[in-house]
């Protein structure tokens, strides 16, 4: 049998907090029960195919540094199958339940639309075999509508209707493949659904195209009987100057405008949240409040860089708060935590892929422990409830529920001689509460 790229690296096991083995989990015990579910059931972690197996370490200033053997020449069917073998070898040794992919991640390179369909269907058969033999599941699939030059002006929003047709073909076959592989979600990643200059852009036309495209996807989901969720991933700035899918709030307004708010949810990425000027937990809380929370792309950015660096998460406070709001909102249903992260360009050895994922898995496990503990007494929620308790009064509810006019509210305020007394927001106290829990390691 051909030797694996990952050599003799053993399957990663849980060894406990006292372990000094860099290739073991210290906090992620998938069978440990927390708040009625195992860690594996709560976190639903996935490995992404693209950063782990498609990126060769290239950046805008230099050539690739990784020298993955399946990327050494033309990406033909043999290379695609070699990559698939190594990917499932990695998934299995890492011991996480899910993976995610774009269509072009997994297939041989195609020169025509017919070749694209053929090559993709061919590799889907092999993926199905791998999933059956390993038990690894698909968290979500998606079509890459941003890398090829045809998509330089967008996919669904492209001024050329033939590009729209090509994009529709990719999504149709990828959605059907996701259903065939029992994927639990399908993601629409609008990497170039935006514009660089208004001088050559018809905003209304492009947004109507995007609205119709998403409607077509939803219609096809129901036609084929796909039971998973359709997700849109918020993406600010990069790569276009203005993205139509900037953040959760923007997407919710877009979905409401096109009557899709009951059909589509969001896949929130940590690094995208911060690039949009929000915190990670803000985007999660917004999505939960809107009823459109779906899944998470788990990574982080670098505060000293202004772009999407897709690094593995390592900030226990950020992860604890994110998972606190996820748990408070009821947890995941079909979604999960996909490690949309890549090792650094200088991390060139196969083992570095393990180090990156192991650290991220343990951070999530620790964050879950902390978040669950925070929810038990839930001092944060108790303070928030007390802070807004005045709105439970009959007169306050009448203002919100439309049973009091502006004039009536004003007249009553004067009659009651309203004299509001400022009350502390207790920010420092609440931050100390979070610090207390994020220092808990077991």
């Amino acid at each position: 049998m051909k030797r694996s790229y990952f050599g003799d690296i053993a399957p990663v096991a849980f060894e406990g907090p006292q372990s000094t083995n860099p290739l073991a989990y210290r906090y992620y015990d998938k069978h440990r029960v927390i708040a009625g579910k195992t860690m594996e059931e709560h976190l639903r972690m996935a490995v992404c195919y693209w950063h782990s197996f498609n990126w060769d370490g290239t950046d805008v200033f230099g050539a690739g540094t990784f020298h993955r053997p399946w990327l050494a020449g033309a990406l033909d069917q043999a290379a695609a199958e070699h990559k698939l073998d190594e990917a499932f070898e990695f998934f299995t040794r890492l011991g996480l339940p899910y993976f995610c992919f774009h269509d072009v991640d997994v297939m041989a390179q195609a020169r025509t639309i017919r070749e694209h369909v053929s090559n993709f269907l061919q590799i889907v058969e092999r993926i199905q075999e791998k999933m059956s033999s390993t038990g690894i599941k698909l968290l979500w699939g998606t079509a890459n509508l941003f890398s090829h030059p045809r998509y330089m002006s967008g996919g669904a929003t492209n001024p050329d209707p033939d590009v729209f047709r090509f994009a529709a073909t990719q999504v149709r076959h990828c959605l059907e493949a996701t259903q065939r592989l029992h994927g639990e979600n399908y993601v629409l990643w609008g990497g170039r659904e935006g514009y660089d200059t208004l001088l050559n852009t018809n905003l209304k036309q492009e947004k109507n195209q995007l609205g119709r495209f998403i409607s077509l996807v939803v219609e096809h989901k129901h036609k084929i009987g796909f039971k998973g969720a359709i997700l849109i991933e918020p993406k600010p700035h990069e790569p276009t100057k203005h993205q139509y899918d900037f953040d959760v709030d923007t997407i919710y307004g877009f979905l409401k405008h096109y009557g899709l708010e009951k059909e589509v949810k969001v896949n929130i990425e940590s690094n995208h949240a911060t690039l949009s000027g929000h915190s990670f937990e803000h985007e999660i809380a917004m999505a939960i409040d809107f009823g459109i929370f779906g899944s998470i792309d788990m990574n982080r950015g670098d505060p000293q860089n202004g772009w999407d660096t897709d690094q593995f998460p390592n900030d226990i406070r950020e992860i604890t708060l994110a998972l606190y709001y996820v748990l408070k909102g009821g947890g995941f249903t079909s979604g999960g935590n996909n490690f949309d992260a890549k090792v650094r360009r200088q991390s060139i050895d196969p083992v570095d892929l393990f180090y990156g994922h192991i650290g991220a898995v343990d951070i999530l496990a620790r964050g879950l422990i902390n978040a669950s503990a925070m929810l038990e007494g839930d001092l944060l929620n108790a303070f928030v409830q007390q802070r807004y308790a005045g709105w439970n009064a009959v007169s306050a509810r009448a203002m919100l529920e439309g049973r009091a006019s502006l004039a009536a509210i004003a007249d009553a305020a004067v009659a009651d001689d309203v004299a509001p007394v400022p009350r502390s927001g207790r920010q420092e106290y609440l931050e100390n509460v979070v610090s207390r829990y994020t220092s808990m390691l077991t």
Side-chain angles (χ1 to χ4, degrees), residues 67-74:
H67 306 299
R68 314 286 195 218
W70 53 88
L71 300 177

Side-chain angles (χ1 to χ4, degrees), residues 204 207-208 211 251-261:
K204 184 176 181 180
K207 296 191 79 170
N208 282 341
I251 288 175
Y252 184 69
F254 179 89
L255 294 175
K256 285 281 287 185
H257 182 78
Y258 291 97
L260 294 165
E261 72 276 12

Side-chain angles (χ1 to χ4, degrees), residues 205-223:
Q205 172 73 25
E206 291 197 358
K207 296 191 79 170
N208 282 341
Q209 286 176 209
L210 184 58
R212 182 57 189 143
F213 192 94
I214 297 170
S215 296
L216 287 168
V217 175
V218 170
E219 290 165 10
H220 195 65
K221 165 193 168 173
H222 292 302
K223 179 179 179 181

